[in-house]
Amino acid sequence: MLHPITQQILDLFENNGSSMYGGEEVTQLEHALQCAELARIHYATDELVTAALLHDIGHLLHDLPDDASDNGIDDMHELLGEKYLTQHFKLGAVEPVKLHVQAKRYLCATEPGYHEALSAPSKISLEFQGGVMDQIEVEAFEKNEFYKDAVALRRWDDLAKDPNLVSPPIESFTNAIESSLK
Ligand SMILES: [Fe+2]
């Protein structure tokens, strides 16, 4: 018997997960599964695997079009996701979700070549997400207890866009989800 929140999350993906992931070639569900599987094969904790699976859940919680970011609209999905998850999940599953957009801005500032390697949609959204971090923002970001998890999640996020990959079913992540609940 699944926890009601786990069931609610499975239903959200079932009902809304087939929308496309921004301007990329995968659906929201495929993107989430690829990201979570990358976390799992890198031996991430259950909380970080859960964060990877649910990092874009904010996109499933609003009614803006899939390509909102192409039109210069910031849907603030990381904050919507945080608000939803924080009621039910431990901090280790919530903070990397909240920070995954900031982690992109951080990597653009601290890792040579990172910005150039971003996909076109990701470069566009960067601009209205605040652009590259300045030094003060970098230092503040590194003070967050979960910033390294957020950076790891971000790297998996960037890779989780392969239209030819077959991922494990979402049910294979229910144990990780349930052990991350408060
Ligand atoms: Fe993502």
Side-chain angles (χ1 to χ4, degrees):
M1 182 68 181
L2 293 175
H3 189 286
I5 294 308
T6 311
Q7 190 57 55
Q8 195 180 89
I9 287 167
L10 298 188
D11 292 346
L12 259 179
F13 276 105
E14 165 116 22
N15 296 328
N16 302 346
S18 58
S19 59
M20 294 310 283
Y21 175 57
E24 311 286 354
E25 288 178 35
V26 290
T27 63
Q28 290 286 349
L29 174 62
E30 286 160 5
H31 175 63
L33 293 174
Q34 288 184 24
C35 196
E37 183 61 3
L38 282 164
R40 187 152 64 182
I41 64 178
H42 286 90
Y43 305 106
T45 61
D46 280 348
E47 287 169 44
L48 187 50
V49 169
T50 298
L53 183 73
L54 304 180
H55 75 278
D56 280 334
I57 198 162
H59 284 310
L60 307 183
L61 298 168
H62 65 62
D63 296 324
L64 289 169
D66 302 341
D67 61 351
S69 69
D70 296 348
N71 298 313
I73 300 165
D74 186 355
D75 65 7
M76 309 288 275
H77 70 283
E78 72 278 21
L79 303 182
L80 266 177
E82 179 209 2
K83 199 171 153 209
Y84 175 78
L85 298 174
T86 199
Q87 314 161 51
H88 313 294
F89 287 94
K90 295 174 193 162
L91 219 49
V94 179
E95 286 290 292
V97 173
K98 180 178 87 180
L99 297 174
H100 81 276
V101 171
Q102 298 303 314
K104 174 167 81 169
R105 300 182 56 226
Y106 172 82
L107 281 165
C108 285
T110 56
E111 188 170 286
Y114 181 83
H115 180 257
E116 291 69 27
L118 286 176
S119 68
S122 201
K123 272 186 189 144
I124 293 168
S125 57
L126 172 71
E127 288 319 309
F128 52 82
Q129 287 161 343
V132 179
M133 275 188 181
D134 63 27
Q135 193 52 35
I136 292 168
E137 290 174 309
V138 164
E139 284 166 23
F141 185 73
E142 288 175 348
K143 291 206 169 75
N144 188 294
E145 184 187 343
F146 295 98
Y147 91 92
K148 285 188 178 157
D149 282 351
V151 167
L153 194 163
R154 183 76 227 178
R155 294 185 195 282
W156 300 324
D157 185 8
D158 291 331
L159 293 171
K161 300 170 180 179
D162 183 345
N164 300 313
L165 210 66
V166 178
S167 297
I170 193 165
E171 288 75 15
S172 72
F173 295 103
T174 51
N175 283 348
I177 294 173
E178 302 230 306
S179 74
S180 305
L181 290 165
K182 277 183 189 165

